[in-house]
Amino acid sequence: MNPANELGSFLKSRRSRITPQAAGLHPHGRRRVPGLRREEVADLAGVSDIYYTRLEQGRAHNPSDAVLDALARALRLDPTERAHLHDLAHRAPGVRVSAVPTSAGPADEEDVPVRDGLGRLLSAVGAVPAYVLSPAMDVLEANDLARALLGEPIGRLPGRLNLARHVFLDDAARGLYPRWADVARQTIGFLRFSAGRRPADRPLAARIAELGAHSEEFRHLWAAQEVQQKTHGTKSFRHPVVGGFDLAFETLTLPGDDGASLVVFTAPDSRAHDALRLLGSWTAPPPAPADGEPLGTCAGHERGANG
């Protein structure tokens, strides 16, 4: 199969995961392929065997939305997979989702300015962690509590914090995320969905290339063709300062900000609430000195020094 035929690769991966029984078919005899055969997908979608074969082999272009929707139903795609199928089918010929090379240098850091209004918004929601995330998973801006939550890996990796790089290339991530495998799969799914939607995004392509060159686990998961949007859910943390807790998150798309999104965490229970409060106090700046008091000798500090 043509390695640039991302649509065909995705279709093949989706049909391989569906058993005939799950599709309502009753096959007879031995089967030489996992999942559905091409002719079975074509029959379920109401298209000819020849057309579907040409589509999967990259020899048929510009399928209609009706055909894509029929294939999505036949392959039982979820809404994110359906959107990804349309993204792949409607790309210009020759433009591909970022491949995974065998070697690559570090990805260039993208200098993306964050609007002042977003910076003020992050500060305003200072009681919970929040950050602005690029399609390549660069943390473009974060409030103090988010820096405290993710602050340990920032100092060990060069350049701006990138959450995908952190997950796959920083050993600290396996300690911070007790369910690391789930986080890794979600990261891959988000990157692949973003790459399908933004095939000309050079920082995103460079990040995928860098991760593929340096992480065997990334290459293995990338080959599975899974896609996932970063919308909402729960993430588990094991923080070196405040211990283990779960946080709920919501992701808000920022129209007009070149694909950036705002990620906000909230505490779903008292354990998480207490952990965030402790993190907030741990990172809080020292109190300002009272009027007429020399810097560095405010009352709170004197009480601490005197025990």
Side-chain angles (χ1 to χ4, degrees):
M1 180 175 291
N2 180 357
N5 178 24
E6 296 290 342
L7 175 61
S9 297
F10 183 65
L11 288 171
K12 185 177 181 179
S13 73
R14 298 306 90 178
R15 70 176 171 89
S16 70
R17 70 178 185 175
I18 301 177
T19 64
Q21 293 77 9
L25 303 177
H26 301 284
H28 300 284
R30 297 179 62 184
R31 300 178 66 86
R32 298 166 59 184
V33 297
L36 298 178
R37 298 188 176 109
R38 286 173 177 166
E39 59 268 24
E40 290 169 337
V41 175
D43 185 59
L44 289 169
V47 300
S48 72
D49 297 355
I50 295 176
Y51 178 77
Y52 178 77
T53 298
R54 288 174 59 86
L55 191 64
E56 196 171 281
Q57 291 177 343
R59 297 187 293 118
H61 303 294
N62 301 318
S64 69
D65 287 345
V67 167
L68 295 173
D69 288 339
L71 290 172
R73 289 190 295 270
L75 295 170
R76 302 195 172 191
L77 303 187
D78 63 29
T80 299
E81 292 170 324
R82 181 188 296 260
H84 186 63
L85 177 67
H86 280 263
D87 288 340
L88 296 179
H90 293 153
R91 283 208 310 263
V95 178
R96 56 186 298 196
V97 172
S98 302
V100 176
T102 57
S103 63
D108 293 335
E109 299 293 339
E110 185 182 20
D111 186 15
V112 179
V114 174
R115 291 185 287 112
D116 290 343
L118 284 178
R120 291 193 296 271
L121 177 60
L122 290 174
S123 297
V125 294
V128 293
Y131 51 76
V132 177
L133 196 67
S134 79
M137 301 193 75
D138 287 323
V139 177
L140 303 179
E141 187 58 85
N143 65 10
D144 289 342
L145 201 51
R147 294 178 186 278
L149 181 65
L150 303 172
E152 281 297 308
I154 289 178
R156 280 195 287 274
L157 293 173
R160 170 181 280 152
L161 173 64
N162 178 276
L163 294 185
R165 186 203 286 166
H166 162 52
V167 168
F168 285 99
L169 302 184
D170 189 346
D171 292 339
R174 297 175 188 270
L176 183 63
Y177 305 117
R179 299 175 63 183
W180 181 90
D182 291 340
V183 174
R185 284 191 295 269
Q186 292 162 6
T187 300
I188 288 282
F190 176 75
L191 286 177
R192 184 170 277 283
F193 182 78
S194 295
R197 182 139 292 184
R198 305 170 63 85
D201 190 319
R202 295 180 63 183
L204 175 58
R207 185 65 64 205
I208 293 169
E210 178 194 17
L211 294 172
H214 294 96
S215 171
E216 182 177 354
E217 289 170 305
F218 180 92
R219 293 193 295 272
H220 173 73
L221 292 172
W222 184 260
Q225 295 275 341
E226 297 295 334
V227 292
Q228 195 172 132
Q229 290 195 69
K230 190 176 183 65
T231 54
H232 58 84
T234 302
K235 181 173 287 188
S236 298
F237 294 88
R238 187 186 297 115
H239 196 274
V241 174
V242 298
F245 55 94
D246 293 342
L247 292 179
F249 68 87
E250 296 285 341
T251 305
L252 309 175
T253 301
L254 300 173
D257 284 276
D258 197 27
S261 55
L262 174 66
V263 182
V264 180
F265 290 90
T266 56
D269 53 38
S270 59
R271 172 70 189 100
H273 180 271
D274 291 344
L276 290 183
R277 186 172 58 181
L278 180 57
L279 265 182
S281 64
W282 177 62
T283 60
D291 291 343
E293 188 175 33
L295 289 175
T297 58
C298 61
H301 286 179
E302 286 186 338
R303 284 194 297 269
N306 293 332

